[in-house]
Structures are given as C-alpha cells and as structure tokens.
Amino acid sequence: MSTSTSARSGTRYRGGRRAQAAVLCCGLLLSAPAVATAATPAAAHAQAQYEERGRGTLVSSEKLYTLATPQAVAAELGAAGFQDDTVRHGVVAYRLVYRTVDAHGRPITASGLFVLPLNSPGRLQAVSFAHGTGSHKDDSPSMQRAKFVSAPVIAHAAAGAAAVAPDYLGMGKGPGLHPWMDIDSETTASLDMLRAARAFAPRTGHALKREVMVTGFSQGASAALGLGRALEAGADRWFRLGALAPVSGAYDFGGIELSALLEGRLEPKSSVLYAAYTLVAFNRLHHIYDSPREVFRAPYDSTVEALFDGAHTGEQLMRGTPGTVDELLTEHGRELLTHPTGPLAKALRATDAVCTDWAPRAPVRLYMSTGDEQAVTENTEHCQAALLRNGVDAPVVDLGEVDYHGSRHLGSNVAATSSIVRWFGGLRQQ
C-alpha cells in the first residue's frame, strides 16, 4: 500500500530557515570506550592503530540482486508499499561485511546493504539510511528484499545516490546480540559501513563524494543524528555531513518516550515490547538488574530475555509477551523505567543527547506523523527545541495522518521516503 495523494499534499512545515547563529560545539565521544586491555600505553596505541586501519575494512561482498530498469524498481517499491515517484534508474544491490568495533570497543564484524544506480557511472553522493527496530537478525536491510527495511535504500539509489544502510551490530550477518538504542555503537557501525562502501565502490566503476546525506527512521532516527554528529566532529578524514533528515525518532527516550509508554499513551503492545527490550538490552551493556525476576513478573521473568536473542521473530515476541505493561513489569521494573538511576540513567542521558549536545552546520529537517502511536510527537518537538537552543532552526515536516498496515508510525517512514529523496536530490543539484 502506498501513501495517498491527500496525505502527501497535506505535508506541512513547522519552523523556519536554519538560524545564522554561531555554531556551538562540545566534546563528543566519537568511538566506543576503550576495552579493559587498553590500560597501558602500548595497548592503547595498538587499539588506536586498529581503529585507524581496521575499522571499515571490507571483509566480503555479495551481489544480492539487480533491478535492471526503473519499472523493475517501481515494482519492488510497490511490493513493499512504497511510492515510485522518484525512480529514475535501475539499481544493483550488494551485501557488504566489514570490520568495526562492538559496544565495548573490541574488534567485530557487521554487515549492511549497499545499493547503486545503474547507468550512472562516476562519482556519486552517498545517502546513509538507518533502519528502525527489529527483533530478528533478518529484520535488517541486507537480509530482506521488497520489504519495509530495504525499500528506502532502494528508493535513494534509484534516484541517483549511492545508498548505504548498516544492519547494526548483531543484526544481518553480524555476530552476537544487538545493543539496541546504544547510540555509540550505532554510530560506529554506520560510519564504518560508509567506509566499507567507499572501499568497495571502485570495483563497480564508482567513487563516493565527500558529502553524505544522512537519514533514518525510528530507532534509526537517533542513529542518524549520532552519525551526523560524528561526521561534523571530524570522525572520518574523508566523509562530511551534507544534510540530515531523521524520521519519527524517540529523541527523548529516557524522558518523554518512557513516560508515554508507562502512562498508556502508546499502542499497548508496542509499550510492552519497548519496555521489555529497554530493560533487556540496557542490562546487557550496563548491568541494571541482577535477575530478570527483579523487573519482570512470572512467567515472563524466565522467558523474556531469550526472546531478544536475534533468533526470534516479531510474531514470536508478540505471542511471548503479555498485553499490558502492568502484566509484564514488577513494581521495581516500573520504578526503574519511571525514575532511572545509576547506570541506566547514565546510559539514557547518552542516548538522549543526540539532539542536545551539538549544533549541526548542515541543513536539518525533522520528519514526523500526526498521531504516531509508537514515538510520540513530543519527541520531535523536544529535538527541535533543543537544536534551536543551540542556534539551529530545524523545520519540522508534519507528514499528516499517514497509514501503513494500520500504523501511523510505520506510515511516516513510507511518506517521508519520497519527500527526503526529493529534498536530498535538490540539495545535490545546488
């Protein structure tokens, strides 16, 4: 199903042109923390050498499919429920596996989708797309075709860009578990995927330009902001941020979003899954509870953690969790999310800093959908206000009451894709 004409024509902007104010700057964490073995100068030097020389190194490439004509691309996008109004090229899609670092700074591999336009040789501008939350390793761009997570990547390539989409750590062909909503590792995985794409592109007769257009949806909206922040801080010697277009993010995850979840303002089942994933994923990195029974009620205390192992599907998560947050959480579990303290509070502050601790110099637009049932729109208002305090007047693009399989949240990704493709394309022509 594609977005209706009335929804597209109802798209409206809030905010204005980017303020011509002095750019504020602050210290940024541009890579994951050093591992425990990096305590000596020699070990620290070895780790720095790995990050300089190893990160982004291409491990393998695999051609996945070719859509030889614009008509074939249009059919692919239509099968996923996306519009085809920006298609100008056929495309060829590859899966890249590359070296990066995990959430603790240790060497690991990850995968991603790289899609190129056909009959468009030479230097191309890269577009980095960060996808939304998935539970199974296959819920990632390089593992699916004609699906929700791969369609935006194909759409950008079909408009003439080199489209790059990290699967994230622990997703796709990456080993281990996915560190959900961990901005640092989402940033390193995204940046190193760009580096791998740049290394691979000459094999196809292409080269990537310096400026990168960055976008992402839902979880990927925060990941996109993290990547944009790193690029503007000079995290890579080649790539620079060209423009930034996050969609329907939970930018104040530890405040606005968790409050909405616990107050029943989100769709009930989404609230259950996000509450469970928050506790499980953050505990794996930050040790916020000793035993699942502290935060999850029986019988879920013995089953919920295993559901988020990357091998269970969304349908299995739906069947394996209760219908309400009150059935899932103990009093302590609810209190932990209501008033985070200690390691969880610290981790959430890092997650929520994507809009507050920097001032993008590149153009920014924030996309959202009225009545979003998963990421309440106050998140976008919060992000816009935070950027404005730092001197950046980022317009909000209200996509209206869009729908995708009964979800306005998912609908925002569909509606935003064509809009962002056109905006990025216009900027490329300037």
Side-chain angles (χ1 to χ4, degrees):
M1 181 174 61
S2 61
T3 306
S4 66
T5 303
S6 60
R8 294 198 304 273
S9 63
T11 298
R12 55 193 183 275
Y13 292 77
R14 301 208 309 270
R17 298 172 58 191
R18 187 181 180 278
Q20 301 300 311
V23 176
L24 305 180
C25 188
C26 44
L28 301 177
L29 180 63
L30 299 179
S31 61
V35 292
T37 55
T40 66
H45 178 67
Q47 179 67 13
Q49 280 191 321
Y50 174 80
E51 292 182 357
E52 179 66 22
R53 300 174 186 174
R55 283 182 46 188
T57 300
L58 186 66
V59 175
S60 66
S61 62
E62 176 186 358
K63 182 184 286 187
L64 299 176
Y65 48 88
T66 300
L67 305 171
T69 65
Q71 293 76 18
V73 173
E76 188 91 357
L77 294 176
F82 283 68
Q83 296 168 299
D84 59 8
D85 56 332
T86 59
V87 173
R88 295 190 293 111
H89 300 271
V91 301
V92 57
Y94 302 89
R95 179 189 296 119
L96 306 184
V97 176
Y98 59 96
R99 299 189 188 282
T100 186
V101 289
D102 69 9
H104 301 288
R106 298 173 296 219
I108 200 170
T109 59
S111 60
L113 180 65
F114 187 36
V115 187
L116 292 167
L118 296 174
N119 303 316
S120 183
R123 298 175 70 242
L124 299 173
Q125 188 161 56
V127 172
S128 178
F129 172 77
H131 67 87
T133 297
S135 59
H136 194 282
K137 283 180 176 289
D138 289 351
D139 296 334
S140 48
S142 83
M143 303 300 289
Q144 297 195 15
R145 178 178 168 180
K147 297 291 186 180
F148 188 79
V149 294
S150 59
V153 195
I154 294 170
H156 283 286
V164 181
D167 291 333
Y168 302 143
L169 296 182
M171 301 288 283
K173 294 294 184 179
L177 300 171
H178 173 51
W180 184 65
M181 292 298 290
D182 179 61
I183 303 300
D184 289 343
S185 63
E186 290 169 357
T187 299
T188 53
S190 299
L191 180 58
D192 292 341
M193 177 64 191
L194 277 171
R195 290 166 169 163
R198 184 186 175 214
F200 176 75
R203 303 185 189 181
T204 69
H206 297 90
L208 300 189
K209 297 179 180 179
R210 293 177 68 87
E211 282 197 340
V212 182
M213 306 300 198
V214 177
T215 181
F217 164 68
S218 194
Q219 174 188 356
S222 292
L225 284 160
L227 175 60
R229 181 175 60 182
L231 290 172
E232 285 217 338
D236 188 79
R237 295 179 180 179
W238 175 255
F239 290 114
R240 299 292 181 267
L241 180 64
L244 188 56
V247 183
S248 300
Y251 309 113
D252 187 24
F253 184 73
I256 291 170
E257 186 70 6
L258 286 183
S259 294
L261 181 158
L262 295 168
E263 293 166 4
R265 294 194 288 127
L266 303 185
E267 189 275 323
K269 195 66 177 185
S270 298
S271 296
V272 169
L273 296 179
Y274 287 138
Y277 210 174
T278 299
L279 291 169
V280 171
F282 278 73
N283 187 62
R284 286 169 177 163
L285 286 185
H286 308 289
H287 191 74
I288 59 176
Y289 59 80
D290 292 323
S291 170
R293 70 173 63 95
E294 296 175 25
V295 295
F296 300 120
R297 296 186 183 275
Y300 308 107
D301 58 336
S302 61
T303 60
V304 162
E305 287 188 329
L307 291 175
F308 294 96
D309 62 356
H312 286 78
T313 65
E315 182 180 349
Q316 288 174 315
L317 262 69
M318 296 286 283
R319 293 200 308 262
T321 51
T324 67
V325 170
D326 287 339
E327 295 174 272
L328 173 74
L329 299 179
T330 63
E331 290 185 9
H332 177 64
R334 174 178 277 274
E335 177 64 19
L336 197 56
L337 295 181
T338 304
H339 301 109
T341 59
L344 179 59
K346 181 179 179 180
L348 288 172
R349 284 194 296 271
T351 298
D352 295 344
V354 289
C355 295
T356 62
D357 68 355
W358 70 302
R361 298 183 296 275
V364 182
R365 288 183 179 179
L366 305 172
Y367 290 75
M368 49 78 68
S369 173
T370 300
D372 190 318
E373 81 285 354
Q374 293 190 38
V376 292
T377 55
E378 290 96 321
N379 281 289
T380 301
E381 295 166 2
H382 163 84
C383 188
Q384 184 187 39
L387 291 173
L388 185 59
R389 286 194 296 273
N390 287 345
V392 179
D393 193 358
V396 171
V397 182
D398 188 340
L399 300 160
E401 297 180 0
V402 294
D403 179 86
Y404 182 87
H405 295 186
S407 169
R408 292 183 183 177
H409 184 64
L410 300 182
S412 68
N413 189 35
V414 176
T417 294
S418 289
S419 178
I420 294 169
V421 168
R422 287 191 292 270
W423 184 47
F424 283 174
L427 292 173
R428 284 198 297 271
Q429 300 304 315
Q430 293 178 6

